[in-house]
Amino acid sequence: MRTPRRGPGARPAGGRDDRLPRPPRGRRPAIDPAREVAYEALAAVHRDDAYANLVLPRMLRTAGLSGRDAAFATELTYGTLRQSGTLDAVIASAADRPVERIDPPVRDALRLGAYQLLHLRVGAHAAVATTVDLVRSLTPGAAGFANAVLRRVAESTRDEWLARLAPSLADDPIGNLALVHSHPQWIVRSVVDSLHGSLDEAALALAADNVAPPVQLCARPGLLDRDEFVASLAGATKGRFSPYAVQLGGGDPGDIAAVRNGRAHVQDEGSQLVATALAAAPIDGPDERWLDLCAGPGGKAGLLGALARQRDASVTAVEIAPHRADLVEQAVRGLPVRVECLDGRDAGTEAPEYFDRVLVDAPCTGLGALRRRPEARWRRQPSDLPPLTRLQRELLGSALLAVRPGGVVAYVTCSPHLVETEVTVTESTRRSKIAVELVDARPLLPPDVPDLGSGPTVQLWPHRHGTDAMYLAVLQRT
């Protein structure tokens, strides 16, 4: 395939190309490889409940795509998944029928086409023609329908569609933000609540979920000098806040020698900040035994292990799932970390008052990492919260049993939802018979981290800090 100078399907210099195609007859079209890979990834996500970050790299390798074509396929896949809610509203209006009544293969193809028309610098002719060819290869009888729907989509810009379809911000602010920023309404409501009702800031937070995050690494302290590491990588820069954070300028982190030999690992800067906050918290008495209560897949255990190595301490990393425990073993090789495959809820009774520092990186909805997991916002449901919050409280209760008097527990979730953050901490401490005090977590982060609120807990945000939306509460047992 010959790659156009400005990328696949690039728009002509004059702007939108209104010369829209009619579906050709009597031939099986040759499908653009990048768009075909994007379609197959979408189909796997919706048909097989696959994860885009797992299936897409494999599909790109199988198709032999690299460079611009791989980048285009990635943008199409992730962008379409993020914007599915808004795209579906537009498609339903253009088709004059609910998207649920459109065959799934055709629906996925229409989403790809609509995303190109409304979000990318792809000419209308190229977006419609390639999508119609894709539909013809999947369901020949639906080609005319797809052509008609996409021609209607192309008649208006994204802003014009939103002005037509979105409810008034004044009358229905949650509905407006949900459609404009392509999030389910229950997630929008949770973001607004966590931001104390600020609709303006909630809009910024939701918009940040739709921006692809950079790849960040952690240069493990004592094993790799961060500044020298940055200097050795073309296009890399230091992270904003964490003294160990490195932001890649591009490329596959698996190709970096320091990642392969365990001196660095892939980790969002927010995760680095909450892990180092645990290590920075002042404690009374000895500082030798650390516990990572929910350690899989091992990123935080690796960072804690490197920090513990510098202090002659050791880490016990607990993980209930055997395959994730294996990942932790690989992540902490060479560090003073012992991995145990057991239920973190039992750790407090197995080893009461034994540990000096405990990290509870609790399983959660993952709403703080929606920019990384584009399909997650559509899979998660409010019904997921009760079992998760019950588990979170049980794990935190176990941690409070496992830590000795004078030691500290860091409760962490990758979610801004108040039920998973403030409510879990409040309810866990209220029901516990163990005396604890909330420690102000703000001084435990680097001094240049802005907008940390009034404390004592911390909520990081993509739009404020450029990190995943990590929550941190630090409790000291008295």
Side-chain angles (χ1 to χ4, degrees):
M1 183 185 73
R2 181 171 178 262
T3 303
R5 186 177 298 274
R6 296 177 59 204
R11 179 181 296 177
R16 182 181 296 272
D17 184 351
D18 293 319
R19 296 171 298 171
L20 300 176
R22 298 291 180 182
R25 301 176 181 272
R27 64 177 177 87
R28 181 177 178 80
I31 308 304
D32 168 55
R35 290 176 170 92
E36 186 171 23
V37 166
Y39 168 78
E40 292 296 340
L42 289 186
V45 167
H46 295 139
R47 180 188 63 233
D48 306 325
D49 286 336
Y51 293 93
N53 66 315
L54 299 180
V55 299
L56 182 59
R58 182 171 65 249
M59 291 178 175
L60 292 173
R61 288 193 298 270
T62 301
L65 296 184
S66 60
R68 285 188 180 183
D69 287 335
F72 185 57
T74 301
E75 169 63 25
L76 273 182
T77 302
Y78 279 74
T80 301
L81 287 170
R82 290 188 184 101
Q83 296 292 335
S84 287
T86 305
L87 295 174
D88 282 358
V90 173
I91 291 168
S93 178
D96 198 25
R97 70 180 67 173
V99 291
E100 293 78 11
R101 290 180 52 201
I102 301 173
D103 287 344
V106 178
R107 184 170 63 221
D108 281 336
L110 288 174
R111 287 168 174 163
L112 281 173
Y115 182 74
Q116 294 171 68
L117 289 168
L118 302 179
H119 290 271
L120 299 182
R121 291 184 58 84
V122 174
H125 179 91
V128 175
T130 55
T131 304
V132 170
D133 283 348
L134 177 60
V135 170
R136 182 176 291 105
S137 72
L138 300 166
T139 310
F145 167 74
N147 185 70
V149 170
L150 291 176
R151 286 170 64 85
R152 293 193 192 105
V153 172
E155 290 172 357
S156 302
T157 66
R158 177 180 179 273
D159 288 344
E160 290 167 344
W161 276 111
L162 291 175
R164 190 180 311 159
L165 299 176
S168 163
L169 184 62
D171 295 336
D172 183 3
I174 300 300
N176 176 279
L177 292 175
L179 189 62
V180 170
H181 298 288
S182 196
H183 283 66
Q185 290 197 19
W186 74 274
I187 294 179
V188 173
R189 194 171 291 108
S190 75
V191 171
V192 172
D193 290 344
S194 188
L195 290 168
H196 311 291
S198 173
L199 297 177
D200 289 341
E201 192 171 8
L204 295 176
L206 297 168
D209 281 346
N210 292 329
V211 178
V215 176
Q216 293 180 313
L217 305 180
C218 174
R220 291 182 172 178
L223 300 176
L224 185 62
D225 181 272
R226 194 268 299 267
D227 293 351
E228 293 179 0
F229 186 40
V230 169
S232 72
L233 299 172
T237 56
K238 299 177 186 179
R240 291 177 63 190
F241 308 118
S242 167
Y244 316 117
V246 175
Q247 184 165 304
L248 290 187
D252 183 352
D255 295 334
I256 299 173
V259 174
R260 293 198 305 270
N261 62 31
R263 293 182 299 144
H265 61 268
V266 177
Q267 188 175 45
D268 178 72
E269 191 169 8
S271 293
Q272 298 177 41
L273 291 173
V274 296
T276 54
L278 170 66
I283 63 173
D284 300 324
D287 190 11
E288 301 171 353
R289 300 166 176 169
W290 301 3
L291 172 64
D292 185 350
L293 200 61
C294 314
K300 294 182 183 68
L303 176 52
L304 290 175
L307 292 168
R309 177 177 175 270
Q310 294 181 309
R311 303 190 198 176
D312 294 325
S314 63
V315 179
T316 300
V318 170
E319 173 54 50
I320 188 172
H323 72 283
R324 287 172 64 85
D326 290 341
L327 294 176
V328 180
E329 288 275 13
Q330 298 171 28
V332 301
R333 190 172 292 119
L335 296 172
V337 180
R338 183 179 76 255
V339 180
E340 294 190 9
C341 187
L342 58 87
D343 191 332
R345 291 172 289 187
D346 297 330
T349 53
E350 295 269 343
E353 300 187 7
Y354 183 79
F355 294 98
D356 306 309
R357 300 180 188 273
V358 180
L359 173 66
V360 185
D361 183 15
C364 66
T365 55
L367 302 185
L370 294 182
R371 58 189 189 146
R372 299 185 186 279
R373 302 180 180 93
E375 65 283 320
R377 71 185 70 178
W378 311 115
R379 287 186 179 168
R380 283 299 188 187
Q381 301 295 329
S383 58
D384 295 332
L385 285 167
L388 280 172
T389 53
R390 183 167 57 250
L391 175 60
Q392 291 159 4
R393 294 172 192 182
E394 290 170 351
L395 289 167
L396 182 51
S398 177
L400 295 176
L401 289 172
V403 72
R404 62 164 179 80
V408 293
V409 173
Y411 173 78
V412 170
T413 61
C414 187
S415 172
H417 200 297
L418 290 176
V419 171
E420 299 187 272
T421 58
E422 303 291 347
V423 174
T424 286
V425 172
T426 300
E427 287 299 303
S428 297
T429 54
R430 184 181 65 83
R431 297 177 183 182
S432 175
K433 297 179 181 179
I434 296 170
V436 297
E437 292 181 353
L438 268 174
V439 176
D440 191 346
R442 295 172 298 170
L444 306 179
L445 273 62
D448 56 342
V449 181
D451 299 321
L452 293 180
S454 58
T457 62
V458 164
Q459 179 68 64
L460 301 174
W461 291 96
H463 70 286
R464 288 183 184 176
H465 308 105
T467 69
D468 290 345
M470 303 295 298
Y471 170 84
L472 169 66
V474 179
L475 306 98
Q476 185 166 36
R477 183 165 174 178
T478 59

